[in-house]
Amino acid sequence: MAQRSDIRGAGLGLKRELLPQLMQHQGKPWLSQLQFLEIAPENWIAAGGKYAAELDWLKQHYPIVCHGLCLSLGGPDPLNIPFLQQVRRFLDDFEIPLYTEHLSYCSDLSNGYIYDLLPIPFTEEAIRYVAQRIRQTQDTLQRRIAVENTSFYVDAPISEMDEIDFINAVLTEADCDLHLDINNVYVNSVNFGFDPYAFLDKIPVDRVVYGHMAGHLQVSPGLLVDTHGEAIADPVWQLLKYAYDRLGGFPTLLERDSNFPPLADLMQEVDHIVSLQHHAETTHQSLLDKIA
């Protein structure tokens, strides 16, 4: 049975477009530092035939985490309990130790799913509302989950606090973990004019279970769009290094959802994540040696 401790090092958000290359080149040296994979349960639940065989292959070769797309934790409609029960069986059947979802919403009562992630207003009422839904999710799944900080482009005028204070309050009220997306921190810092390093300084170390890295598109000097279709930008790499120095080298994966280069090229970014993790480990060991 896989454990959360099996999720370590550097990983890859697996898209079906990348799977044939991954299976074909398994064992090649340039894949050696890939240590775990992330899949969206919505894309694999009830898979049969070829997809079921591919899922079995993944389970045999890598620890897997599940990152949900459509739970709509902050939405106004009731949680989809039948779907969550399907997720629980999926996690159990494939021995997947961790499930995460976005701290946002993507549906409403009148329009259904809107296929985008919208921000929850940062208010005391919203903290209590979404925390109750996270606790309900954890009860249904019979396991602890993590929520991901998201990128967004419109600030709610009724917000009463900063994003990081809202996130920390939700983590405490729901007693859940954090899935830290470094690119989303950077994108929001540019779009809304805050210090991303000060944001990371307020992240609770013991809540971070793993992280995301991705590329974004610069539309204008003050507007970034989180596309997951470009190479990771230098300021985001610098922010990840700072996060490791402060929080330790937590497991981190590369997200790439479009504009795919060859898998071997993507692995260069995975390798860079590993090099920063090793640097953080060396730095922490040097500090411990000085204290001793």
Side-chain angles (χ1 to χ4, degrees):
M1 177 71 179
Q3 306 293 322
R4 278 195 178 195
S5 58
D6 295 327
I7 308 303
R8 55 180 178 266
L12 177 68
L14 185 69
K15 299 299 175 187
R16 285 219 169 97
E17 294 89 338
L18 298 172
L19 187 51
Q21 294 182 70
L22 184 64
M23 298 174 75
Q24 178 185 352
H25 297 291
Q26 188 59 208
K28 295 286 181 63
W30 51 267
L31 278 170
S32 63
Q33 299 206 87
L34 180 61
Q35 292 185 268
F36 69 100
L37 298 174
E38 176 194 273
I39 62 174
E42 290 88 343
N43 295 334
W44 294 92
I45 285 177
K50 173 176 176 286
Y51 291 152
E54 290 174 343
L55 195 54
D56 283 335
W57 185 92
L58 293 174
K59 177 187 170 186
Q60 296 300 319
H61 288 82
Y62 293 98
I64 298 172
V65 295
C66 269
H67 184 47
L69 302 174
C70 69
L71 192 55
S72 200
L73 281 170
D77 45 332
L79 283 173
N80 188 339
I81 298 301
F83 167 71
L84 276 174
Q85 291 169 338
Q86 283 186 304
V87 172
R88 186 184 70 198
R89 289 192 292 271
F90 182 77
L91 298 175
D92 289 343
D93 289 345
F94 289 92
E95 301 181 354
I96 296 172
L98 180 59
Y99 173 82
T100 74
E101 247 291 356
H102 302 90
L103 188 57
S104 63
Y105 71 102
C106 59
S107 64
D108 65 28
L109 290 169
S110 57
N111 297 307
Y113 289 100
I114 49 183
Y115 302 104
D116 206 349
L117 299 176
L118 301 177
I120 304 168
F122 304 145
T123 67
E124 294 287 350
E125 181 182 13
I127 291 167
R128 293 189 294 273
Y129 177 76
V130 73
Q132 185 279 324
R133 289 162 68 89
I134 293 170
R135 291 195 299 271
Q136 186 181 4
T137 298
Q138 294 184 138
D139 289 344
T140 305
L141 294 179
Q142 298 179 357
R143 71 198 72 205
R144 191 179 179 90
I145 72 166
V147 293
E148 182 191 18
N149 58 299
T150 60
S151 58
F152 52 95
Y153 309 98
V154 178
D155 209 358
I158 63 172
S159 289
E160 301 165 349
M161 63 191 79
D162 293 337
E163 180 189 4
I164 184 58
D165 294 330
F166 176 78
I167 291 171
N168 284 337
V170 169
L171 298 179
T172 300
E173 181 77 12
D175 192 19
C176 66
D177 290 320
L178 177 64
H179 176 175
L180 178 60
D181 191 309
I182 298 296
N183 184 57
N184 288 348
V185 173
Y186 182 74
V187 166
N188 288 350
S189 76
V190 172
N191 291 347
F192 298 99
F194 64 80
D195 181 354
Y197 293 90
F199 184 104
L200 291 179
D201 284 342
K202 299 179 77 171
I203 293 290
V205 175
D206 59 343
R207 298 276 184 178
V208 178
V209 292
Y210 77 107
H212 271 172
M213 285 288 282
H216 57 256
L217 177 66
Q218 179 153 12
V219 177
S220 69
L223 177 59
L224 306 182
V225 176
D226 180 33
T227 58
H228 300 179
E230 288 74 27
I232 296 169
D234 287 342
V236 183
W237 284 121
Q238 293 165 18
L239 201 58
L240 179 66
K241 181 178 181 301
Y242 182 83
Y244 284 161
D245 288 344
R246 181 181 175 274
L247 303 169
F250 52 84
T252 306
L253 70 79
L254 171 68
E255 288 186 297
R256 187 65 174 248
D257 294 346
S258 62
N259 193 24
F260 295 105
L263 183 60
D265 292 351
L266 281 184
M267 287 304 103
Q268 293 177 23
E269 292 189 318
V270 170
D271 291 345
H272 193 49
I273 290 172
V274 173
S275 71
L276 293 179
Q277 290 171 333
H278 289 169
H279 174 81
E281 291 170 3
T282 302
T283 301
H284 286 168
Q285 188 58 52
S286 297
L287 290 174
L288 291 174
D289 291 343
K290 288 180 180 178
I291 294 172

